[in-house]
Amino acid sequence: MTEKRHRILRPVSALLERLFVDRQIILRSEGHTRYFLLPRRTQMISVAVLMGLVGYVVVATVGYVEKSRIMMSKDESVERSQLAYRNLLDQVANYRESIVTITKDLSEKQAFLRQLFEQNESLKQNLNTAESQLKQTETERKQIVEGRMAMRDQMMALENEVKNMNSQNVGLEKHMASMRGKLSDAEAAAANLDQTRSQQAAMILDLRKRLALEQTRTERMDFEMASMRQDLQKAMSDRGEIVGEKETLHTSIEQLERQIAEMKIAHHEALRRFAEWTLERIAFAEDLIAKTGVPVFDMLPGPPPPPPPPRELAKGPQGGPFVPYREESGIAATRGESLSRAGLRAVSLEHLEASIEAQMDRWEHVQNILVAIPFAAPMTEYALSSGFGPRSDPFSRRPARHEGLDFTAPYKSDILVTAPGIVRHAGWRSQYGRLVEVDHGNGLSTRYAHLAKVTVKVGEKVEFGDVIGLLGSSGRSTGPHLHYEILVNGRPYDPLKFIKAGQHVLKSQ
């Protein structure tokens, strides 16, 4: 037995001797060396303690998990029992309510049965009274039958008397008929007499009215003849005076004609001056519109002014969607003809009034368009980092076409709307980043791209100078700046021309 134990323990002891060898720990610090010896027994004890701790932790963890599982199952059973108890309470409450309703129904049915019993008693009493009344009515019925027999005998006697009376009435009716015929004849004769009397009275009244009218007519004619004689005598006496007054009236008429001619000349001169003023205002507005290069105004009169000199560009961030460069053909301006100042002097009054009316309609149309044109810059203080037209793309360095202006300014500077309008887009749009697009009417719209924040909503009405966002660097951008576009019927135009035209207006004022 001991030999078997030795055989089993030998490999174990050999394994332990190989694993647990005497070890030394050497520590060096500040030139000093220290040695620590870890014998085999110490290592074995520490490993045994460590394994014991690990085993204790494993056992404790398993026990904790098992106890938690048991507690969870107990909690679930408690919850199930509580739920069952609540269900029982609900059922008991329902039973109580059903019992209450049943008792109410029983009491109501009992009261109803009592009412039926009382009604049955009253019906019995009514039947007794009805039987007694029937007995009385039988005796009364016999009396009524006897009375009817007596009445029948009396009716027979009355019928005989009526027959005798009818024979007498026939003779009287014949006599009355003859008397009625005579009376009707007398009444007809009296009616004829009354009708002839009324006709004669009407004729007499008509004759009297005619006689009175003739008398008034003769009196009026006598009065008119007398007045006519007096007027004739007065006219003969005033004839000499009228001849003298005729000459004075002729001279006054000539004076009035001269005054009317002078007033016509003054009116013509005033209309001419007003027409010249209108032409000057229209020419100024047309020159201002021509500075923007928008082709919708090429039909307006007047030669187009020369384009403004390009503004010097500052170095700064750039951006905007990539658009390949392409050559643009110039748009020929076809101008109409209008009256010059020399022509206004020679034109007639009717043509001048028609020309003024046409010029006023044209001026009103031009004013409506001027209100919608964005002449201002979208920022108060700025520098231009990229102009409109061909340029080198800031990302790919390939030839590209820039369809707007890039304005540099401090980050989150206020962006102002350049003309009144309605917001059509406010949010993210691919390479533009955060974009605000405003519709100004007449096909004009403006875009404000790469914003850090949008402060307006779609459909909102904005006025000139309202803040619509803050400068940023969202979208396809190399740094904080504003990409500003002006579009006419969806086609981009140089915003710098619009800003130059607005500056020209301020200088002229």
Side-chain angles (χ1 to χ4, degrees):
M1 194 71 181
T2 56
E3 290 180 358
K4 289 182 178 179
R5 287 180 181 177
H6 285 297
R7 288 177 183 175
I8 294 169
L9 292 175
R10 279 177 187 173
V12 173
S13 61
L15 179 62
L16 291 174
E17 287 178 358
R18 285 197 302 271
L19 291 175
F20 299 102
V21 184
D22 292 339
R23 290 178 173 85
Q24 290 182 351
I25 298 172
I26 302 172
L27 295 176
R28 292 180 181 178
S29 63
E30 296 179 355
H32 299 283
T33 302
R34 295 180 182 180
Y35 299 90
F36 294 95
L37 181 64
L38 290 175
R40 181 184 299 172
R41 184 177 295 176
T42 304
Q43 294 179 17
M44 292 175 69
I45 292 169
S46 61
V47 168
V49 171
L50 182 61
M51 290 179 68
L53 289 173
V54 170
Y56 175 75
V57 169
V58 171
V59 172
T61 303
V62 172
Y64 177 75
V65 171
E66 186 66 21
K67 287 180 180 179
S68 63
R69 187 178 62 78
I70 294 168
M71 290 296 293
M72 287 177 66
S73 63
K74 288 182 179 180
D75 291 336
E76 290 177 354
S77 62
V78 169
E79 289 179 356
R80 286 195 296 271
S81 61
Q82 288 179 353
L83 183 61
Y85 179 70
R86 290 174 185 172
N87 292 329
L88 288 173
L89 290 177
D90 293 335
Q91 291 178 0
V92 169
N94 293 328
Y95 289 151
R96 286 179 180 176
E97 290 178 356
S98 62
I99 290 167
V100 170
T101 54
I102 289 167
T103 52
K104 286 182 180 179
D105 292 337
L106 288 173
S107 61
E108 290 176 356
K109 288 179 179 179
Q110 188 176 2
F112 181 68
L113 289 173
R114 288 177 183 175
Q115 291 179 358
L116 289 175
F117 182 75
E118 292 175 356
Q119 290 177 0
N120 191 9
E121 293 293 329
S122 63
L123 286 172
K124 287 180 180 179
Q125 294 177 0
N126 292 330
L127 285 172
N128 294 326
T129 55
E131 288 177 355
S132 61
Q133 288 176 358
L134 283 172
K135 291 177 181 179
Q136 292 177 0
T137 53
E138 284 181 356
T139 57
E140 290 177 354
R141 184 180 177 184
K142 291 178 180 179
Q143 293 176 0
I144 289 168
V145 170
E146 293 176 356
R148 282 182 179 178
M149 295 297 291
M151 289 292 290
R152 186 178 292 175
D153 296 335
Q154 291 178 2
M155 287 293 291
M156 293 295 289
L158 287 172
E159 285 178 359
N160 294 324
E161 291 179 358
V162 168
K163 288 179 180 178
N164 295 325
M165 292 290 289
N166 286 331
S167 60
Q168 293 176 2
N169 286 331
V170 169
L172 290 172
E173 285 178 358
K174 289 179 180 179
H175 181 68
M176 288 294 292
S178 63
M179 293 295 290
R180 284 174 183 170
K182 292 178 181 179
L183 182 61
S184 61
D185 294 336
E187 288 177 353
N192 290 327
L193 288 171
D194 292 335
Q195 187 175 4
T196 53
R197 282 180 184 177
S198 62
Q199 288 177 356
Q200 288 176 359
M203 290 173 67
I204 290 166
L205 289 173
D206 190 15
L207 289 171
R208 287 177 180 175
K209 288 180 181 179
R210 288 181 182 179
L211 182 59
L213 288 172
E214 290 294 331
Q215 288 178 357
T216 54
R217 211 177 271 175
T218 54
E219 291 175 357
R220 190 179 298 167
M221 288 177 70
D222 293 337
F223 180 74
E224 289 178 355
M225 288 295 291
S227 63
M228 286 175 70
R229 287 170 184 170
Q230 292 176 0
D231 292 338
L232 184 59
Q233 292 174 0
K234 188 176 180 181
M236 293 298 290
S237 62
D238 294 341
R239 183 178 179 184
E241 295 177 358
I242 291 170
V243 172
E245 290 178 355
K246 183 178 180 181
E247 296 178 356
T248 57
L249 286 172
H250 185 67
T251 55
S252 63
I253 288 168
E254 289 179 354
Q255 290 178 359
L256 287 172
E257 287 177 352
R258 286 195 297 269
Q259 290 178 2
I260 290 169
E262 292 175 357
M263 289 176 67
K264 285 184 179 179
I265 294 169
H267 182 63
H268 189 278
E269 183 66 21
L271 288 177
R272 185 185 60 78
R273 290 177 183 174
F274 183 72
E276 289 179 357
W277 179 83
T278 306
L279 285 174
E280 290 177 357
R281 299 301 298 173
I282 292 174
F284 177 77
E286 290 170 358
D287 292 339
L288 182 63
I289 295 170
K291 292 180 185 296
T292 63
V294 179
V296 71
F297 301 111
D298 287 339
M299 298 303 293
L300 297 173
R311 182 167 178 171
E312 184 178 356
L313 300 179
K315 293 182 179 180
Q318 299 178 0
F322 175 75
V323 179
Y325 174 72
R326 63 179 183 277
E327 293 289 340
E328 290 190 352
S329 60
I331 300 172
T334 58
R335 303 284 180 175
E337 294 182 357
S338 62
L339 291 174
S340 63
R341 294 186 179 181
L344 288 173
R345 295 180 185 274
V347 77
S348 64
L349 182 62
E350 292 79 6
H351 289 86
L352 184 59
E353 289 178 351
S355 176
I356 289 172
E357 186 176 357
Q359 295 292 345
M360 289 301 295
D361 293 339
R362 189 173 184 173
W363 171 242
E364 184 178 359
H365 178 68
V366 171
Q367 276 186 326
N368 292 331
I369 294 175
L370 283 174
V371 171
I373 294 178
F375 286 115
M379 303 178 69
T380 55
E381 296 181 358
Y382 62 90
L384 289 177
S385 61
S386 181
F388 182 87
R391 70 168 182 178
S392 177
D393 184 71
F395 290 92
S396 64
R397 298 301 175 187
R398 290 186 297 168
R401 184 173 182 272
H402 193 216
E403 295 185 343
L405 294 180
D406 288 342
F407 296 83
T408 61
Y411 184 67
K412 288 191 175 181
S413 298
D414 290 339
I415 306 301
L416 313 176
V417 67
T418 53
I422 298 174
V423 178
R424 297 302 183 194
H425 181 84
W428 192 272
R429 183 182 287 180
S430 64
Q431 297 181 0
Y432 286 100
R434 292 183 183 89
L435 171 73
V436 174
E437 185 170 352
V438 180
D439 184 7
H440 305 287
N442 296 313
L444 282 162
S445 61
T446 53
R447 289 176 179 173
Y448 311 82
H450 306 311
L451 301 179
K453 183 180 180 182
V454 175
T455 59
V456 292
K457 296 179 181 179
V458 175
E460 184 177 348
K461 187 176 181 181
V462 292
E463 299 295 335
F464 170 74
D466 289 350
V467 178
I468 59 173
L470 303 178
L471 185 141
S473 182
S474 59
R476 192 173 185 267
S477 171
T478 61
H481 73 289
L482 170 69
H483 176 77
Y484 175 59
E485 290 184 7
I486 296 178
L487 297 96
V488 181
N489 295 324
R491 182 178 178 182
Y493 286 86
D494 189 358
L496 187 59
K497 292 183 179 181
F498 290 80
I499 297 171
K500 288 283 188 180
Q503 291 173 357
H504 177 70
V505 173
L506 294 175
K507 289 179 181 178
S508 62
Q509 291 178 353

